[in-house]
Structure formats: structure tokens, C-alpha cells
């Protein structure tokens, strides 16, 4: 019981990195929604590994076959299943993988959880490759939300110690978010790109990897989404965002920084603006008591460094219970943050579509 | 749809701050568990407002009446309902409350969400008072877990800019956690208490409030709890922890700090220790691929400053749509972090009990 | 994990027959719904045992205390908790009950399921008394539905071999259903009442009991409720109706009788009637492909005879594993069908409210 | 939200009759289970339309491609996705179908539910063809249960007014059920087959169809599965069995017939048999208070006649709102009962696997 998420609109993700196919069933989509396949393909290309030097050289021609739920390009209301074949896998030294758990990976925990029957090739179901169907599902939800005036976007908030400019939480605009969504290396300050890429290249040259933070915003969200306690917007979003591998933290609005403030600094004053109630600051990230207040929804997620590095690492041999040393070969991103970004936007899109459905706003 | 949480062991929380009663139904508890009521009462007293100068002077004699699910002090396997009467409420100027949403509170969002029918007195169902039944439920789960060797505890990681010593993520012990659990102001370094209290007092004198961070650890957790993707330990814990009002962020292991590290620094090497596989560091907080690895589980949650402050604040009058100024009177904590701590420990206990049930480990 | 049901509007039922209290939390009710307490009390009185000779003489003054979710008689949108104290219990020979499982009761299965920790007094959580909070919850939902033009009602379809007239599945009217809902012994043909009561009296004189069937109809239901496969109207209704103890079967429309028909007889032809699409017959009970078609929704549920009878019965002694003979004393209905009827109407009301919420029709 | 079912082991079914593919994701299967593909293929062949004259002549080579969750024939613990291509569809007069809802089908209700965007070709997602992935999932679950000593089987209880011999609810054996499971026309009394087939042929010659009843039994089920109220065995099984199209009723044990009995007749006396507690009769179908008692679990489901018949039928034209007459051409079963049987056995298998998981019995 692991890979199904959602209440009104459910996603059911399947597949293993080196298995026959991966994919997703989306159950509960509204009927009559036209899907723009080119836009979906573009969103998936943002996540896909490419010729880009910051990413793994594995080529994925990942556009899925849509098996159901779509007729003449329009959703039927029945479950939409999208299947992506795994056609660029390489033979792997299965036995060695199964014996030597890679530090930072789920090899060891998967081994325990599934009594050694887990598919360890490429991480199996734990692989970052499973974010491809997630990104597909998110791209579908994103279009449905856009039709209702909700725009979701994000940027690379940081890679290692190099930081982009944060969103202006009050004034972030749909235009800005759409522009970011059209970029393969989304930054608020594009001047940083060269610096960031050089940093990643340097890390790569060290046979190392680096983490980072992504920041997501959603605008056009009506006030009144979410519920108190366990169906708050934070609960719902975090329960899906942690489904993206390597996420180790999430914060909304000022997040951890709010812990150092005084109430007089942190509280967002209400004011009228053109017959609409707004807040003058947006430290709460658009959420009060678990419910949206109509201001931009803002959150950040922390991504750990790619655990696959070419340096020698200490591990144990599960076969004989002895300490040993492991060297990982293969294709690995020195920094997955740019590719994690669209996956986390996708997670947010799926979450927000569910929150909309929950208050009958679809 | 908001205040029910859980899969195998579900909690259903009800009540409003100034209503007749609050409480919780716990559905799915294992049968045959003896409950130590004194210990539960103590856990609830950690959350309760007290004579302590850092807390609100409202007295709560909060020990609930247990209506069902318990026979001769032992769980029957049927739903356990605990009801706490609200007997120390004070008359409130309801009309003013309903008109002038307090900044940082859910008055405005609750008004939108419930078409103005929400009970605004004392925050209604959004009130921090609802953490009393949560803490009760957590105290029940904590005892069941302790019987299986799992000990959960936490400390005040920071208040404003004053920080306690963090947990040693490899060596934190059950003894240390139990000692913290017996304290009303839980700190790893007790020498900081005076300083922290003085800081809170100073904030209070300014008619202001302050936030902080709590850090939770759980030891004795078997490897193999949790599942990939959406039933990972992080997903499950965060989906309940954000149910504690004022939480704005959560991070596991190194959390956001891991984003600045290199893979070679962040990865936790595996090693044998007394026929057991351990990791030499614990940057992942005991979780890999959403599944516990048997090391201490570590997370932190960020708490925003109490939004109720005595200073004048700008708001709008919902009746006539005009900007106005609000002064909040009444009993308010300048810092809720010490009281939020047991509630978040409770949330963690409920989450971990569910994760145990999910892998048939109860 | 047993006593919580619902998707958008959830009920969480707690309590044991001879415990301190029983009750229900209803989570997800729409805000702003005025509740008519007298009407709710009347619905509960239909279920309550009374001076009526067909029912058990145990008096229940069952109107619950509403602890939350209601302000000035109007729902707040927060969970509504209703608690009914158990104040007419009698001391029981607990040890004997625990040793000698009563045939037809859940004593034995509860003993196995809960390792002997189940509360056996009066059946504990398995008791028919738990239909009191269910009936309360149903009465709340029924009012909300009535405000949207949906009227639910039912009648005693049969007691033993004595049958009332069935509903006319095409022409059953709101007026007819409301009239039935105002009766303590609801029959389409009131002339049968004397006969039925005499039959029950005769059974009682034999120290025996008898079962029966109830038939429920709902009118004013919009076409388009429900979903294919597992969220069909039949799936949803049956999953809650079997929560009423003693129900052993459910059928929709013609139900089992449809199995003997030909397609040309069973199919309901479509026709226009005043610009509205209707069916000329209603063999499907208003449901096609799991979805309502706008015709009256009709179902029947089979109720087994009260298992508590005063005659000697064979059982085993769980203490020593020997066959033995049991005589049950106490207060028992010779026929629970009249009291089960409002409980099953309640179950239907809760189900239909959820189905309405699911298609945003509330 | 319609086609996902399950708690610990979830199935997510997708596809439309004339779309690209249909299939199922099974999430939560235990790891390490070897699957016998030939046996699965045989179970699917029992459901598939064949050259058998009682079934539709559409050929389906339905064995699915298993895309994930299986490595070297053994479950990995990750979601298992099985995809069946639709390669024998025929072009259809889509426009006519969309205009003229077929009596007894979901065309009209699907049109309303999905605002006219539903795929009407062959019934779309409402088609009986969707029982193919259900049967696949059930065949997987059935093998896992068999390994734990639980055998599930069924027979054609009746077709129209021709009845097979019912199960002996006390003495039905694993051998008997396995033998039935190896038959394409499963009957307790094989002498009836000729008669039944002739009856179906006669109906077919009339351009008509006929319904029937299936009876299912499961033996080897431990006492203690299920929970009171809403997670009773009846609730769980019925909530999935009504997912099989055309099911209009379900009853457990004696079912509706128990309503005519007295308590002294209906109660099943307990007795010791070889150190095991049994009941001397099994009128309750192996379920008391929603929980299994260790006796054979017995239920029956009523199947309506195939709604597709070649006779002229009255319907309305959705385009212009006029009454009209419809003639359905194409390939249709005069009686789907034999093919519904394995689908309902599958539903039961999935339900029971979930009930086993819920009490940690897997």
C-alpha cells in the first residue's frame, strides 16, 4: 500500500526503473477536459534527463501511451491510464546490486521491507524514474487548473550554497510562473544560471553530487480551499510532495524562518484592495488554519544530493554480513534539483486539484 | 472532511474551543492493551496551560472521560472515545469576533470556508485547544509503542533565536527521550532554560509573541516501516504533524541543511555493529526511500509565533468591507512551543503506530 | 478499524451496550444547516425500544447531547459529536457471558477477533444499541437531503411470512414516504398491522423470535449520482447498510427476482415525460451502471430473527472447551424489524448524502 | 472516483471497451509470492467469451502483459500492473450510440454523470469487459490465499428458473471448490448442464436474454476476519461484488430466506469438533457480527439478464428529446451468468485478501 494517492482525483503509480513499463492511472478526473499533449510533453521533457550536462545521459523518450480515459483528446471521466515503456535500460549486475546496498538509497530498506524480493535494478520502484508518470499526472492536473485560473510554477531556489532570488510572496504573478514553467532551468534571476551550472560541473568533476531547494508558487487560488486539522493545505501538499524521492523537508510561507520572528512581525495584516480582502504581507504562504486565504500559495522543498556518486563508499555485504567498499558506476545526475522541480510542481498540481474538488470548486 | 486521520488506527477529533466539549474517537486500537492513566494525564499536563508564566493562565482540568473502548483499564478493540468538557470558557463578544478577523488566525479563512457559520469563539475548531484530544490519543499510542520497545521524545529545539543542543542522531537513547518526556520544559541542555524563559518573558512584556522549533526522535523503531512514494514515513508523519496548529514546516534528518551538502557528505555509510546493520552517520533521519532503516528517526517542526498579541493590528471589518484596527484581549501564550512539543510528539506517536500496523508489527 | 464510514461526510461510531456512553462524530457536514431537533428525536424514537409489546422493555431516553459542530441550532461545518449516556444498564453476569457464546451473536467471533478482550456485556460494540447513534446521524443527513428535495422512507416489507404491499417503484411519492416516516410501525397497507403484531406476539409466546425484510425508497434523487464499478450506488449503500446488525442480504430494484426474468421483461424502457427522461418501469431500482437515473431508488434488506431467545440452546464453554447448554435471560425483542427500519433508512440517508457530496450536488 | 478499491491491497481498474487497452494496478501485494501464470490464464478463460454458444462470439486473447511488480515470476511488493490490449474491436456507429441510450445499460446515466463525454462505444468503462482485469486481479489474490489454505469457488446457482443444487454450507470442501474452479460451466450437479444450456439456447432463439444467480463459497478461512459495523465481511465483500456489472443483489448464508425463519431455526448452535469450535448448521454463512467464525463463508449474487437484446426496444433520442425505437445489433451473450461467476469469485478473492491483511494474517 504505497503508490496510490488522492481523495477525489486519485493517482496510482506503477513500475520499476528497469522493468517493462512504468505509468499511472488517474481516477476521478472531471469529464470534458481537453488535454494539450504538446504542453504535457514539454512538462515531461523538463523532468527527463537530457543532453544537458547537469543531467544523466540516459535518454528517455518518455511520452506515454494513453490507454484509456481520453476520447478525441478529451477526458471521458473514466480512469486515464498512461503507460511509458522502459526501452533504454541496460543490463545490470543484478547480484552485486542485491548484495551491496548503496548508501543514501533505498536498497537496504527495500530489502528489509520486501524480504529481499524488491527489484533492485536501478532502484526499482524507488527510482527517480517514477517521477515521470507523476509529472505526467501533474501536467494533466495543471491544465485543468489553468482553465480555472490557477497557475502553478516554481524555480530552483538553491543548488548547494548558490541561491536564486526568492518569490515575492505578495506580488508573484501568473505571467512570471508561466515563464518559469517554459524553462528547462527555471530561475527568477537568470543571471545566476551560468554560476549554478559551473558549480554543478565542478561538483561533477569531483565525482560528487549536490542538493538544493525548490520553491513553488500557485496564484489564482480561491480563498477557502482546505480544512482544519488533517485536511489542511499543508497536510495535503506535504503528503504527496514527500512522494518525490530525495525530498527531506517542506515549509510553507516563511517556513522555518518564521520560528525566529515575533508575532508582530509574522502576522499578515488584512486590508481591502479593490473590494477584495488581501494580506499586506504573505508570511503564511497563503494558508491560515490549513485553508487558503486567496494570496499566493508558497512552499519550498529540500532535495538531498543525488546519493549515487562515483566515489568509493563504505557499505555492508548483505550476503555475508561484512563491511565492504562499493563503487557505483553508471549514469547519474550530479544534481537532480532542476529535474525534481517539475515533479514537485506536478505533486502540487495534483494536490491542489484534489483540494478544489473537495470544496466543489471544479 | 477534516478531522479524521489514520489508516489502521484512526483518530476522529471533534469540538470547538468554547463549545460544550472536545474529544477524540480512536478506532482500531489493538485489544488487550492496558492503559496507564496517570502517565496519560501527565502527558496531557505537559500540553495544558498552567501557572507557568510562559503559558496562558486559562486553567484546564482536561482529563477526559473515557466513554468506550476500555474495560477494567484494558482496551477492548472497539473505538475508544474520550470526551473533555469545556468548563472554563468565558463569555465572548461574539459579534465583534465574527466581524474582525484576527491576523495570523483562521478567522477569515474559516469564515470563507464555512460561509460564515464557523464557530469563531476562541478560534472554534481551529483552536490550539484541539491539541488536547490529539495529545490524549498520542499518549495512548505512545504506551502501546513503548510496550514494543519504541520510545518517542522531543525537546524545544529553539525559541526565537535561542537554540538548545540538537539530538545526536546516531546515539540518542531511550533513556534520554524518557527523561525529556518527564519534563514540562524539555531541553537537552537544561542550562538554557533560564535564558529561554527570560527571553519569553521579555517578549511578553513587549505584548508580543515568538515562535520556535521542536525536534522529535524515536528510537527502537524496526527497520522496514513505511513504503515508497506516498506511504513513506515522511509523508505519513507530515500529514498528521501539520494538523497541529501553527506548524509551518517539517524536515527529516538534516532536512533543509542537507541541500547545501555534497553527496559524499550526506550519504550515511552502512556498517556492521554487533551483527546488526547500522549507518555510521544519520543524516537521513533514519529514513531511506520512505522506509525506516532502524536508526533513530529524527524530525523537526517549525512553529510560528502565537498570532494572538495584545498590540494593535490592522484588519478589515467583514460587515462593511472597511480597513480597521483590532486589539485582541484575553489569555494568550507568548510562546506556545513548549506546549506544542507534546502535541507533536503525540502526532508522531499516532503516525508510527499506524506505520507499525501497516507492516503487521503490532 | 471498523466503525468509521464515509468519504465526504464521515461518521465515526463509538460505544458499547453497557459502557458509559455511545455516540457518533459526523465529520464533513455542510455548514449552515439548521437542524430540527424534534424531528431527530422522533426518528430516534422510532428506533428506540418502547412500551410497544413487540419491542424490548428496556427504556432508553436516548436523545444525545450534542457536544460540538452546532451553534444556535445550525451546523458550523466542524465535526458534530453526539453522545448518548448509557443510564439504564443492569448488572450482568459477566463471567458467564464471556464463557458461553450465544448462538447467532458475535460473542464467539468477537472473542476470537479481540483475543477475549471484547466487552461482552449486552453484545458490547456489536449490540443493536449502536444503531441509536447511526439513526441520529441518519436523521441529521435526512434533513439536509430533504432541504434539497430528496425524501427517504421505508416500510416493513415482511415479518416472517406476512408481507406488506411493496412500493410501486415508479409512482412512490414523497408524501407516501413522509407519512411512513411519521409512523412507529410503518406499513403501506395499515390493515396488516394487527395481523403482523399478533404474529409477533405469538412468536414471543413461543419464546422465539422472527426476522423480516424492510424496503426503502428515495425520491427526488437527481440522475447522475454514483460512479461505475466500486463507487456505484449499490456498492456505497450496501457497504453501510450491512453495518446494521442482523442484515444478511440486500437487493436493489427487483433484486433476486430479476434473475428469473428475460431481458425483454427486465429492461426499463426510456420515455419522455414532460420534458424529462423517465423509465416506464423501474425494475432496476433507479440505478443503471451504478448511477442513479432519476427514478425512485428502491432497495430491500433482509433481517435475521433476533438471536436472543429464551429457549435453551446448545453452545460451548470457552473455558473448558466442552459442549453445554445456554439459557438467555433478559430483555429482547421478538422481532427487531420495526426498529431496524429507521436504522436502515438512516444508513441510506448517510450513503445518499455522501453520493450527493461526491458529485458536488450539496 | 470510481474504479479503485481496497484498503491494504488496492486494485485500480482502467479502460474502456473499445479503447486502446484495459487493465489493473494491484498495489500492496505481499512480496515473494510466486504466480502461476497458467492458472491465471485459465481463470481468465473462464470469464472470456468463447466459441461456447452461450457466450458472445467476440474473441478475446486476453492474457495481459504484466508491466511491473513481478520479477522472475515472483511479486516484488511494488504495484503490479497488467495491461490487456483491445485488439478485436469493431468500428461502431458512435453517433447513434451516443443519441439512443440502450434500456438496461448505463448509456443514459453515464451521459448524465459525465456531461456527455463518456465513451459510449461498447459501454465504455461500464462494459462487462472490465471484468477481465478484475478477474486477473482476483486470480492473483486467489493464489496467495490458496497458499494460506483458503480456497474460493462458486457455481451457477440458477439460470432463469433452472436451479443447480446449492452448496452444503457445513460440508462444502476445498476439493469440491477446486473442481468447480476448473470448469467452464460450473455446477454442483453436472446433470443440469444440458438442460441449462438448452434453456439459454431457447432464450437466444427468442432474441432475448436471461439472468441468474451465482453462489460462492470459501473454505479454510480462519475465524476472526472482519470487524463490527462498517468493516464487516458482508460490507467488504458487497462493496466490491457490486462492482461487477449486472449484480442487483447479494445475500450471505440463508440471506433473504432467513427473514421467514424463527430464531430457534436460524441460530447456528456451537459445538466442539476435534478440539475446534464449529457450528452445527451454517445459516449465517460463516459470519457473525461481521466477523468470520471459521465455518465456510457462503454468499449468492443475483445477476440481471443481459440488457443487450436484439428485439426492438423503446428509448428516447437525446438529441431531440423524442421517444423512438432502438434495435441493438452486435455480439451479445444471451446469458452472462457463467462468465460473471469467475468475476464474482475474483471479487470475493480480492475482498478476502484484504480482510486477511487487515488482521495481519498474510
Amino acid at each position: 500500500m504505497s503508490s496510490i494517492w488522492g481523495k477525489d482525483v486519485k493517482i496510482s503509480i506503477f513500475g520499476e526503473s528497469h522493468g517493462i513499463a512504468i505509468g499511472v492511472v488517474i481516477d476521478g478526473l472531471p469529464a470534458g477536459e481537453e488535454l494539450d499533449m504538446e504542453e504535457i510533453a514539454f512538462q515531461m521533457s523538463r523532468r527527463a534527463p537530457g543532453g544537458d550536462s547537469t543531467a544523466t545521459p540516459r535518454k528517455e523518450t518518455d511520452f506515454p501511451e494513453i490507454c484509456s480515459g481520453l476520447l478525441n483528446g478529451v477526458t471521458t471521466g473514466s480512469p486515464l491510464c498512461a503507460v511509458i515503456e522502459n526501452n533504454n535500460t541496460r543490463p545490470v549486475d543484478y547480484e552485486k546490486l542485491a548484495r551491496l546496498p548503496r548508501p543514501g538509497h533505498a536498497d537496504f530498506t527495500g530489502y528489509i521491507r520486501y524480504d529481499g524480493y524488491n527489484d533492485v535494478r536501478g532502484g526499482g520502484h524507488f527510482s527517480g524514474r517514477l517521477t515521470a508518470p507523476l509529472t505526467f499526472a501533474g501536467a494533466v492536473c495543471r491544465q485543468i487548473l489553468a482553465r480555472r485560473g490557477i497557475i502553478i510554477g516554481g524555480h530552483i531556489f538553491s543548488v548547494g550554497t548558490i541561491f536564486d532570488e526568492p518569490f515575492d510572496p505578495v506580488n508573484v504573478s501568473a505571467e512570471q510562473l508561466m515563464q518559469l514553467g517554459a524553462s528547462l532551468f527555471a530561475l527568477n534571476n537568470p543571471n545566476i544560471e551560468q554560476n549554478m551550472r559551473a558549480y554543478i560541473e565542478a561538483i561533477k568533476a569531483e565525482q560528487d553530487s549536490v542538493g538544493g531547494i525548490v520553491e513553488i508558487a500557485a496564484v489564482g487560488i480561491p480563498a477557502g480551499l482546505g480544512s482544519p486539522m488533517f485536511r489542511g493545505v499543508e497536510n495535503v501538499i506535504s503528503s504527496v510532495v514527500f512522494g518525490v524521492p530525495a525530498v527531506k523537508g517542506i515549509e510553507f510561507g516563511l517556513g522555518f524562518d518564521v520560528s525566529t520572528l515575533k508575532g508582530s512581525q509574522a502576522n499578515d495584516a488584512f486590508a481591502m484592495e479593490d473590494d477584495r480582502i488581501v494580506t499586506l504581507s504573505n508570511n503564511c504562504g497563503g494558508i491560515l488554519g490549513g485553508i487558503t486565504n486567496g494570496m499566493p500559495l508558497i512552499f519550498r522543498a529540500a532535495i538531498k544530493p543525488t546519493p549515487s556518486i562515483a566515489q568509493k563508499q563504505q557499505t555492508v555485504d548483505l550476503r555475508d554480513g561484512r563491511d565492504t567498499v562499493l563503487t557505483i558506476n553508471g549514469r547519474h545526475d550530479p544534481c537532480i534539483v532542476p529535474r525534481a522541480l517539475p515533479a514537485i510542481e506536478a505533486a502540487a498540481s495534483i494536490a491542489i486539484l484534489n483540494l478544489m474538488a473537495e470544496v466543489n470548486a471544479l
Side-chain angles (χ1 to χ4, degrees), chain A:
Chain A
M1 222 303 294
S2 63
S3 302
I4 294 182
W5 189 93
K7 182 168 165 279
D8 290 288
V9 182
K10 297 197 178 193
I11 56 170
S12 173
I13 289 182
F14 58 87
E16 283 133 342
S17 180
H18 288 56
I20 290 170
I22 60 176
V24 61
V25 180
I26 318 177
D27 190 308
L29 285 176
E33 298 287 336
E34 197 172 339
L35 297 187
D36 177 342
M37 290 301 162
E38 284 199 31
E39 165 62 16
I40 292 174
F42 178 72
Q43 289 303 324
M44 294 189 73
S45 75
R46 293 177 64 207
R47 189 218 67 88
D52 191 298
S53 59
T54 62
T56 155
R58 172 173 172 179
K59 300 272 181 203
E60 298 176 357
T61 55
D62 270 355
F63 199 75
E65 182 175 44
I66 297 179
C67 300
S68 65
L70 200 72
L71 191 61
N72 304 324
V74 177
T75 59
T76 64
S78 295
L80 190 158
C81 178
V83 176
I84 306 170
E85 286 190 31
N86 282 334
N87 47 22
N88 191 26
T89 58
R90 297 198 303 195
V92 292
D93 181 352
Y94 182 88
E95 200 202 347
K96 181 180 154 199
L97 273 173
R99 273 168 44 203
L100 305 183
R102 295 166 298 167
H105 276 286
D107 301 345
F108 172 65
T109 53
Y111 173 86
I112 298 291
R113 177 71 172 83
Y114 298 114
D115 294 330
Y117 292 104
N118 56 314
D119 181 352
V120 297
R121 299 170 303 164
H125 190 61
F126 295 90
S127 168
R129 181 154 168 71
L130 272 294
T131 57
L134 180 73
T135 301
F136 171 84
V140 169
C141 295
R142 185 195 289 253
Q143 292 188 9
I144 296 171
L145 290 170
R147 204 162 284 143
R148 284 140 182 94
I150 296 175
I151 304 298
I152 293 162
H155 69 113
I156 303 167
F157 186 83
S158 67
V159 166
T161 52
I162 304 184
F163 286 78
D164 186 21
E165 287 170 17
F167 282 129
D168 175 337
V170 171
N171 297 309
V172 57
S173 70
E175 291 68 32
Q176 181 185 356
L177 296 178
M178 284 188 285
Q179 204 172 327
L180 289 167
S183 163
L184 293 173
F185 202 92
L187 291 167
N188 282 331
N189 179 0
N191 299 330
I192 287 173
E193 179 167 353
Q194 200 177 355
N195 203 2
M196 243 181 210
R197 285 189 182 273
Y199 178 78
I200 295 172
E201 282 300 312
I203 297 279
K204 186 180 180 182
E206 296 172 22
Q207 299 196 316
D208 216 330
S209 65
V210 69
I213 299 172
V214 299
E215 186 177 45
I216 310 290
V219 299
I221 294 204
L225 297 195
S227 297
M229 304 211 78
F230 309 119
R231 284 299 287 181
V233 173
E234 292 105 332
N235 312 60
V236 172
I237 289 180
S238 63
S239 74
V240 60
V241 164
F242 278 114
V244 177
V247 173
K248 294 302 283 186
I250 191 166
E251 59 180 9
F252 294 83
L254 283 186
F256 277 86
D257 283 352
V258 84
S259 68
T260 63
L261 293 191
K262 297 180 184 175
S264 58
Q265 300 166 315
N267 285 350
D268 301 306
F270 291 106
M272 295 305 300
E273 186 185 274
D274 304 334
D275 289 339
R276 190 175 150 244
I277 295 171
V278 299
T279 59
L280 297 177
S281 53
N282 186 13
N283 297 327
C284 70
I287 308 164
L288 288 170
I291 300 174
T292 56
N293 66 2
M295 297 297 290
L297 193 161
I298 311 274
F299 74 89
R300 281 172 299 285
I303 316 283
K304 73 178 183 182
T306 321
S308 289
I309 54 175
Q311 298 178 29
K312 283 187 183 173
Q313 296 184 85
Q314 183 180 340
T315 188
V316 295
D317 188 324
L318 295 176
R319 199 181 41 178
D320 57 15
R322 293 203 190 171
D323 289 358
T324 183
V325 167
L326 170 73
T327 308
I328 301 174
N329 300 314
R331 307 159 293 184
H332 305 290
D333 284 344
C335 180
I336 55 165
V337 178
R339 294 176 58 202
L341 175 61
I344 291 173
E345 291 171 27
S349 301
I350 298 162
I352 292 169
L353 191 70
N354 269 279
L355 290 164
M356 289 282 284
E358 206 156 312
V359 296
N360 301 351
L362 285 188

